[in-house]
Amino acid sequence: MIGVKKTARDLAFYPPSHPSLAQSLDRACQALLGLLTREAPLTITVGRDSLQYGKAPLGKDNFVLRQLAADLHTRRIERILFDPGLGPDDVRGFLEMLSMDPKRLMEEGGAARVLQMKGVSRLHVTELEVRFEDEAQAAAPVPLMEPPPIPSEAVAAPEAAPEAQPPPEEAPTLEGLLNRLEEATDIGTYQRTAARLLEWGRMARSGNDIETFVRVLSAFVFHTHPQSVKPPWVRPEAEQAIAALGDASGIAYVIGKLCEKDCALDDDLIFLLVSLGDAAVPPLLERLAEEETLSARRKVMGTLSRLGPVALPHLVAGLKDSPWYVVRNLVLVLGTIGLPEAVPPLRPVLAYPDPRVRKEVVKALTRIGTAAAADALLQRLGDPDPGLRQSVIAALGTLKVTRAIGPLAEVARQFSAFSKEADTQKAAATALGSIGDPQVIPVLVELLRRRTWLNRRLNDEVRAAPAPAQGPVGPAPA
C-alpha cells in the first residue's frame, strides 16, 4: 500500500509516457499481485487517517499510509476490494482516480462511477453514504406556537438583555486546513487558508516535524503541476507559498532529513526537492561534497539525477575545481542523466589525473551512447592505465562502434607473452566479436590461425576471446 501511494504521487508528477512512471506502475502492480497470491480477494478498510486489513490496523505509525488513508477518505472511499486477476490497467485506473481533485471526482459521479468509466473490473470500492434527506430534515426550522396576547396594562419595560457573544472559533486542524485549501473556490479563501498553512509549515520546521512540513509543502506543489485542474489563479498563489516554505532554510532542512539514516520519507523528500527545481541544486551539490556517509551520498546523487536538465549546468561547473571524489560523483550523475549535451564537458575529464575518475567517465559516455560519446572513447584507446584501456575497449564493443574496428584489430594482433597486455588483447578480440560487422571477419580468422610457441596458453585465450560475445557476423540472410 505504501507503493500504491507513491505511485499515485508519481502519476500526478510525471507525464504519461515517462519511463519512471511505467516502472512505478509496474512495481505497484507486482506488489499487489504478490499479496493476492496469499489471499484473494483482498479487502482494505479505510478510516479517516488509518487503514485496516481484516481486524488489524495497517501501518498505523507510517506517515505514508496515514496520508493514503486521508486521501481515500477525502474521496469518500470506505473499502477497497482487490480481485484475483488484477492487471496493470486496473491499477492505473485506480491510481488515476486517486490523483483526481476530490471536487472533480464528486462532479463525475464519485469513485465507483469513475472506476467503471475507466474500465476497471478487478478492483472495487465502497463509498461512504451521504444522507442528504436527514441533513435537510435536521436543518428545517421548527414552527413556533404564537404566544397568547398580553394585556397592555401588564406590559412592563423590558430589561436590557445581555449582548449575545459568538461561540469561540475552534482552532482548525491540519487536515481541516488542507481540505479547505482543496475546496477553495475564491482567491480570498485560498489566500487566508494558505497563510494559516504556512504558519503550520514554519512551526513544523522549527519543531522538527518533518511529516507535517512535507504535507503542507506537498499540497502547494501539487497545485502547480501542469495537469492540475485548479483555476488559473491558484498557480501563482501556490508558487508564492512554495517560495516561502522552500527557501534556503527549508531546502536545507529537507536535504538534512533526506540524509538521515532510515528516513521513512525518502521518496517524498526527493519528490519535493525535484519539484523545487533549480533552487535545490546548489545546496544538494554542497551537501554531496561534504557528506561522509555513502548511503546519504547515494540519495543526494539520486535526487540530482532526477532533476535532469535542470542540474546539468551546475554539474558541469563542478567538474573543474572540485576534489577527485566529488568529480567522480558528478560524472556518475551526468552519466545517469544521459543527456548528449554532457559529452563535450566530459571529454576533457577523460584526461583527469586520477584513473578512478577516468573510469567513471568511460561508464558515463557508454550510458550516453551517442556518436560523439563513441568518438571521445575512441580517442582514449591509448590510455596509459591497462585497466582503463580494457574499459574503453569494452565500451567500444558495447556501443558497436564500427569506426573502432581498425584500431581494435591492431591491438588484438599485437600478441604479448605478458598476461597484463594479453588481457588487453583479449578485450580487443571480445569487442570485435561484439561489434559483429562483416569487416571483423578477416581479423577474427587471422586470430584463429595464429600460432606461437611463446606462451601458447595466452595465445589460445586471445584466439578464443571473441566466441562468447560473437553473434551473427556479416550481412543478414535474405
Side-chain angles (χ1 to χ4, degrees), residues 11 73 100 104 116 156 241 262 276 298 318 341 378 384 457:
L11 194 67
H73 190 270
M100 289 177 64
R104 179 184 168 192
Q116 183 183 8
D262 300 327
L276 292 170
R298 286 176 174 168
E341 294 85 348
L378 190 55
R457 182 183 61 80

Side-chain angles (χ1 to χ4, degrees), residues 305-329:
S305 299
R306 289 184 58 176
L307 280 158
V310 174
L312 184 64
H314 302 276
L315 294 167
V316 169
L319 295 175
K320 297 176 182 177
D321 302 317
S322 302
W324 74 267
Y325 53 88
V326 175
V327 174
R328 183 180 63 177
N329 290 335

Side-chain angles (χ1 to χ4, degrees), residues 72-363:
L72 292 167
H73 190 270
T74 302
R75 289 158 180 78
R76 300 188 184 282
I77 297 173
E78 185 178 33
R79 190 172 290 105
I80 312 169
L81 179 69
F82 300 96
D83 281 344
L86 181 78
D89 292 339
D90 296 309
V91 176
R92 186 183 187 108
F94 173 72
L95 294 174
E96 286 176 348
M97 177 276 297
L98 190 58
S99 66
M100 289 177 64
D101 180 79
K103 183 178 179 182
R104 179 184 168 192
L105 183 66
M106 294 303 111
E107 290 173 351
E108 295 191 12
R113 174 63 178 158
V114 169
L115 290 177
Q116 183 183 8
M117 290 190 295
K118 290 182 177 293
V120 176
S121 60
R122 298 287 185 176
L123 191 154
H124 312 279
V125 298
T126 304
E127 297 178 82
L128 293 166
E129 294 184 9
V130 183
R131 302 181 181 277
F132 292 106
E133 294 180 3
D134 295 347
E135 291 179 7
Q137 291 176 3
V142 179
L144 301 175
M145 296 183 62
E146 187 175 347
I150 301 174
S152 57
E153 62 273 10
V155 175
E159 296 183 4
E163 186 177 349
Q165 297 293 327
E169 182 182 355
E170 288 188 23
T173 63
L174 176 62
E175 198 67 44
L177 287 171
L178 290 171
N179 289 337
R180 191 183 303 173
L181 190 76
E182 286 295 329
E183 297 167 1
T185 56
D186 62 275
I187 191 169
T189 302
Y190 192 96
Q191 288 175 337
R192 289 190 296 272
T193 308
R196 300 293 296 273
L197 282 170
L198 287 176
E199 293 177 13
W200 275 81
R202 293 188 185 99
M203 287 190 296
R205 188 172 71 192
S206 61
N208 198 24
D209 181 1
I210 187 61
E211 292 186 4
T212 298
F213 187 83
V214 167
R215 292 196 68 184
V216 173
L217 188 52
S218 297
F220 294 113
V221 166
F222 280 117
H223 289 178
T224 63
H225 192 271
Q227 295 181 0
S228 173
V229 296
K230 294 295 181 183
W233 52 263
V234 169
R235 185 182 182 89
E237 297 297 328
E239 287 175 344
Q240 287 184 28
I242 292 170
L245 277 184
D247 57 3
S249 300
I251 293 174
Y253 177 58
V254 172
I255 294 174
K257 300 303 289 186
L258 175 66
C259 290
E260 289 183 0
K261 187 178 179 180
D262 300 327
C263 178
L265 301 176
D266 284 356
D267 290 335
D268 298 274
L269 298 174
I270 292 173
F271 167 75
L272 288 177
L273 290 168
V274 172
S275 302
L276 292 170
D278 187 78
V281 179
L284 280 167
L285 290 174
E286 184 177 344
R287 185 63 180 247
L288 180 61
E290 299 172 350
E291 184 58 53
E292 297 180 357
T293 308
L294 178 60
S295 60
R297 288 201 302 271
R298 286 176 174 168
K299 292 179 190 178
V300 173
M301 288 190 288
T303 308
L304 288 166
S305 299
R306 289 184 58 176
L307 280 158
V310 174
L312 184 64
H314 302 276
L315 294 167
V316 169
L319 295 175
K320 297 176 182 177
D321 302 317
S322 302
W324 74 267
Y325 53 88
V326 175
V327 174
R328 183 180 63 177
N329 290 335
L330 298 182
V331 170
L332 191 154
V333 174
L334 287 169
T336 305
I337 295 173
L339 291 173
E341 294 85 348
V343 173
L346 283 174
R347 186 186 289 265
V349 190
L350 277 169
Y352 198 88
D354 194 301
R356 291 169 290 187
V357 174
R358 300 202 302 273
K359 190 170 185 177
E360 200 62 56
V361 178
V362 171
K363 293 179 184 178

Side-chain angles (χ1 to χ4, degrees), residues 53-75:
Y53 173 55
K55 295 183 178 180
L58 191 63
K60 62 179 181 179
D61 296 325
N62 187 285
F63 167 70
V64 177
L65 289 180
R66 293 205 308 272
Q67 199 173 27
L68 174 61
D71 290 344
L72 292 167
H73 190 270
T74 302
R75 289 158 180 78

